[in-house]
Amino acid sequence: MLSIQELSYSFEEEKPIFQGLTLDVKRGEFVSVIGASGSGKSTLFRLVTGLLEPGQGDILIDGQKTGKRLGSVGYMPQKDLLLPWRTVLENVVLPLEVTNESKQARLSEIREWLARFGLAEFENAYPNELSGGMKQRVAFLRTLMTGKELLLLDEPFGALDSLTKRNMHKWLLGLWGELQKTVLFITHDLEEAILLSDRIYLLQGTGIKEMKVTLPRPRSSQLIYQSEFITMRKELECLIHNES
Ligand SMILES: Nc1ncnc2c1ncn2[C@@H]1O[C@H](COP(=O)(O)OP(=O)(O)O)[C@@H](O)[C@H]1O
Ligand SMILES: [Mg+2]
């Protein structure tokens, strides 16, 4: 679904962000990207979406080395960018407006999704009337409405309190089986990365490391108390601290 080959990028010549970075994401996979703040996670996403162009290397989406990547992935930026003057429904249908699709034809499908996202009663509410978790679900649903197979989610739960985040994990794990999407997910929360992902990439220096999460699916949020989970967590800590 996504293949990044020998990618190099720098904003300033003497300070490269990536050098020869290679990674791949298979169709249907859930892959997390972790790394200290400033390690280049959001920059990587902006390269994949085509908002930035690589200095060197290739980025292939669905096997295509398209010069025009913009618009070929569903991208949820780090800062939730709901339009405050639009209702929940009006925010969610934004991608359809961009591509000139009929909203009317898809309204019943969209209402089903709103219900599935716990937003049924809020379709006419404005963003400032919503809780943090609800705002993120609206932004996520809007990303889904792009209809793209590959979704890039930049710290979607990063600003939520831990209780709300727990609920979002439960909800997303329940939803994941039926979504049939490929997700690249940025987080700084190690537990979240393990709980949700098939694989984890760690950005460190200008390079990258990889860890497979060998926990079976479907997963429940209770998994974090199991010994297999704690073993994975230790393995990830070792990777981070160069002990592997
Ligand atoms: N537009 C920009 N111009 C110059 N430097 C930038 C720009 N955007 C990000 N950076 C720098 O690139 C590095 C990686 O940033 P970023 O990708 O946002 O990191 P992360 O998302 O991992 O916290 C940081 O050192 C940041 O200051
Ligand atoms: Mg970032």
Side-chain angles (χ1 to χ4, degrees):
M1 191 76 230
L2 171 68
S3 174
I4 299 179
Q5 297 162 357
E6 297 291 328
L7 173 75
S8 297
Y9 188 80
S10 47
F11 288 107
E12 300 156 67
E13 228 166 280
E14 63 280 11
K15 277 198 339 199
I17 312 266
F18 307 120
Q19 277 181 319
L21 181 134
T22 291
L23 70 83
D24 61 88
V25 181
K26 292 178 204 54
R27 190 174 294 273
E29 257 193 318
F30 195 116
V31 175
S32 285
V33 177
I34 61 171
S37 96
S39 61
K41 304 181 295 296
S42 297
T43 303
L44 183 67
F45 271 22
R46 285 159 68 209
L47 283 158
V48 173
T49 57
L51 291 167
L52 296 173
E53 281 303 320
Q56 279 169 15
D58 289 320
I59 298 173
L60 288 86
I61 292 169
D62 219 0
Q64 300 286 321
K65 196 171 131 186
T66 59
K68 230 178 97 245
R69 293 189 301 284
L70 217 54
S72 63
V73 301
Y75 173 44
M76 179 170 162
Q78 189 163 4
K79 253 178 54 199
D80 120 65
L81 296 167
L82 296 180
L83 302 176
W85 60 87
R86 282 184 166 229
T87 64
V88 166
L89 183 63
E90 288 166 348
N91 267 285
V92 166
V93 298
L94 209 63
L96 304 182
E97 288 176 16
V98 172
T99 55
N100 260 322
E101 274 181 77
S102 160
K103 289 176 267 180
Q104 217 53 40
R106 296 189 57 190
L107 207 54
S108 70
E109 178 208 346
I110 293 167
R111 291 221 161 96
E112 269 172 44
W113 275 113
L114 283 168
R116 195 73 184 77
F117 275 59
L119 297 163
E121 272 109 78
F122 296 89
E123 72 168 64
N124 295 317
Y126 287 88
N128 69 2
E129 300 173 86
L130 305 178
S131 69
M134 288 163 84
K135 278 186 206 165
Q136 291 309 88
R137 291 201 295 272
V138 175
F140 187 7
L141 183 53
R142 187 176 59 183
T143 310
L144 210 55
M145 281 297 132
T146 59
K148 303 300 174 194
E149 166 106 30
L150 176 61
L151 306 179
L152 306 182
L153 311 176
D154 193 346
E155 300 204 31
F157 309 144
L160 302 178
D161 63 86
S162 62
L163 209 63
T164 306
K165 194 149 71 161
R166 270 289 132 87
N167 286 329
M168 295 292 278
H169 291 160
K170 267 189 209 157
W171 167 78
L172 185 57
L173 284 170
L175 192 68
W176 177 237
E178 76 186 66
L179 270 185
Q180 306 219 323
K181 295 285 179 187
T182 308
V183 174
L184 196 55
F185 184 97
I186 292 178
T187 177
H188 55 249
D189 181 330
L190 304 185
E191 272 188 6
E192 176 172 273
I194 298 169
L195 184 65
L196 300 176
S197 313
D198 300 306
R199 285 186 298 128
I200 299 172
Y201 281 113
L202 166 68
L203 295 183
Q204 220 168 34
T206 56
I208 195 163
K209 291 178 181 173
E210 184 199 346
M211 190 184 100
K212 283 198 169 61
V213 181
T214 55
L215 301 166
R217 290 190 190 270
R219 295 180 192 162
S220 110
S221 55
Q222 296 300 306
L223 194 62
I224 59 170
Y225 303 111
Q226 311 278 318
S227 61
E228 311 94 277
F229 188 94
I230 294 160
T231 306
M232 283 273 120
R233 193 177 163 138
K234 279 186 191 150
E235 203 178 302
L236 186 55
E237 305 257 1
C238 285
L239 195 72
I240 292 167
H241 298 109
N242 274 318
E243 290 154 13
S244 57

